[in-house]
Amino acid sequence: MTEKRHREAADAGNRKREIRYVLSFVILAVLLLLFLVWNICAGSVSVSYDEIIKSLLGQEIGETAANILWRIRMPRALAAAILGGALALSGYLLQTFFHNPIAGPFVLGISSGAKLTVALVMVFSLGNSLKASSAVMIIAAFAGAMLSMGFVLLMSRKVQRMSMLIISGVMIGYICSAITDLVVTFADDADIVNLHNWSKGSFSGITWENVAVMTVVIFAVFIIVFFMSKPISAYQMGEAYAQNMGINIRLFRVALVVLSSILSACITAFAGPVSFVGIAAPHLVKNLFRTSKPILMIPGCFLGGGVFCLFCDLIARTLFAPTELSISTVTAVFGAPVVILIMIYRQKEKI
């Protein structure tokens, strides 16, 4: 009788968890759609819902509204959703790799390394009247991300405390940012000087060609990461456990580094460095789902990161319109408190 009650209680608990998972995905999907439409409508020139529906159905709307919708806001909103998801997923992979809740591409200096190499490529191409393609930008950003990641990994062998590793990542980030600012500041060309906006982080200027390239690259990485759910789950239990499950730890760690760097490279190549999303979004999603299962966290992080960036970009564009804030300014305001709460919570656990 007691065993039967235990089974019933376990079944009831499983059903509650399944309902929570479904509701969590529904909430994230609804929020993503809501903020996507809101970003398209809101701005210094408003576009109504009716105009959006008519345009999507192929009906005629005003030329001004059509240009704003299809050339500016639609690609920007889609880019914010896709790049935000990629940034959150990159942060989740890095947190898994380092077993540290505040590891992320911005904190570890990976975004800054990518920013430096992209800035150098942009300065060279603009200075020689050349146009760098989206693929070239991603490759440059990936090279910078890997260089920064290589430094962080080298430091991880020299220092035992994770706090020192984080500090090392922050320092390399400052160095790369300082060099980038010098390169951009002393450039003569007016177009190069405008890189200041990009270097602070912004989704403005995204084209449909950019959206197409980032979609192909990011979703290919997403599928690979999703199929790595079981190895990631085993790795979270410890390296010894993962090895007993037949996982090649060295190959697995290389895969995590490369995949997270590709995601970070895509974000930096198109939007510049975006802070705190890679740390905050995975933890917000984890609290929503109340689980750390990779098979749920991977798609959940992608949706959550998209929601987070769409919300922050909406504020960046509309709060002081027509003046636009950098996206990192807004993400820091909402993301930094999450990091502080994480550190306080971890400190309480140690006591």
Side-chain angles (χ1 to χ4, degrees):
M1 193 70 178
T2 306
E3 186 178 344
K4 183 179 179 182
R5 286 179 180 176
H6 282 310
R7 280 202 304 268
E8 289 175 352
D11 291 340
N14 289 333
R15 283 194 296 271
K16 285 183 180 179
R17 281 191 291 271
E18 289 173 0
I19 291 170
R20 183 177 186 86
Y21 299 155
V22 172
L23 287 176
S24 297
F25 276 118
V26 170
I27 290 169
L28 289 174
V30 170
L31 287 174
L32 186 71
L33 182 61
L34 173 65
F35 284 120
L36 188 66
V37 174
W38 198 350
N39 270 263
I40 294 170
C41 292
S44 54
V45 177
S46 61
V47 179
S48 67
Y49 298 108
D50 290 337
E51 287 176 313
I52 294 174
I53 294 171
K54 286 180 181 179
S55 184
L56 291 174
L57 293 175
Q59 299 177 14
E60 289 291 330
I61 61 173
E63 184 179 353
T64 302
N67 286 332
I68 291 172
L69 177 63
W70 290 101
R71 293 187 180 182
I72 300 174
R73 292 189 188 166
M74 187 77 79
R76 176 171 182 157
L78 290 173
I82 295 169
L83 295 178
L87 189 53
L89 186 56
S90 176
Y92 175 73
L93 293 177
L94 290 172
Q95 289 165 17
T96 300
F97 182 87
F98 289 106
H99 297 290
N100 190 288
I102 61 171
F106 188 83
V107 171
L108 293 175
I110 298 169
S111 295
S112 297
K115 180 178 77 170
L116 173 58
T117 51
V118 170
L120 291 173
V121 169
M122 292 174 76
V123 167
F124 176 80
S125 60
L126 291 171
N128 291 276
S129 300
L130 300 172
K131 183 179 179 180
S133 66
S134 298
V136 171
M137 300 290 279
I138 292 176
I139 292 170
F142 178 71
M146 289 300 292
L147 285 173
S148 295
M149 177 63 90
F151 175 81
V152 172
L153 292 176
L154 182 64
M155 288 301 299
S156 68
R157 294 184 177 183
K158 302 294 183 182
V159 298
Q160 299 298 322
R161 294 173 60 188
M162 186 57 67
S163 58
M164 291 301 298
L165 180 64
I166 298 295
I167 292 171
S168 299
V170 171
M171 291 302 104
I172 192 65
Y174 275 120
I175 293 170
C176 291
S177 293
I179 297 172
T180 304
D181 290 342
L182 284 172
V183 170
V184 174
T185 299
F186 290 101
D188 295 327
D189 194 287
D191 290 329
I192 299 174
V193 174
N194 289 333
L195 290 175
H196 274 296
N197 294 331
W198 169 85
S199 67
K200 300 298 180 183
S202 175
F203 292 117
S204 64
I206 298 288
T207 66
W208 282 110
E209 187 251 345
N210 296 150
V211 173
V213 173
M214 73 176 68
T215 300
V216 171
V217 175
I218 290 172
F219 276 95
V221 174
F222 174 83
I223 291 170
I224 295 170
V225 173
F226 185 76
F227 281 108
M228 290 174 62
S229 296
K230 285 187 177 180
I232 291 173
S233 181
Y235 185 77
Q236 289 175 340
M237 301 293 289
E239 292 188 11
Y241 179 84
Q243 283 179 325
N244 291 333
M245 294 295 291
I247 296 170
N248 186 327
I249 294 297
R250 180 172 293 182
L251 183 61
F252 175 78
R253 288 168 65 89
V254 169
L256 286 184
V257 168
V258 172
L259 292 172
S260 62
S261 296
I262 291 173
L263 292 172
S264 300
C266 282
I267 299 141
T268 308
F270 296 113
V274 181
S275 61
F276 290 103
V277 179
I279 303 175
H283 289 285
L284 293 173
V285 171
K286 185 178 179 180
N287 287 332
L288 178 64
F289 282 89
R290 292 185 183 174
T291 184
S292 58
K293 293 179 180 178
I295 198 167
L296 296 171
M297 284 293 295
I298 290 169
C301 283
F302 197 88
L303 290 173
V307 171
F308 194 94
C309 275
L310 282 170
F311 169 70
C312 291
D313 192 44
L314 180 66
I315 293 175
R317 289 194 304 107
T318 60
L319 186 61
F320 298 108
T323 302
E324 182 176 318
L325 300 172
S326 71
I327 186 65
S328 285
T329 300
V330 183
T331 54
V333 169
F334 292 99
V338 176
V339 177
I340 294 171
L341 290 173
I342 293 166
M343 295 174 69
I344 293 172
Y345 180 75
R346 281 177 62 85
Q347 188 65 31
K348 285 181 178 180
E349 282 186 334
K350 292 178 180 179
I351 296 175

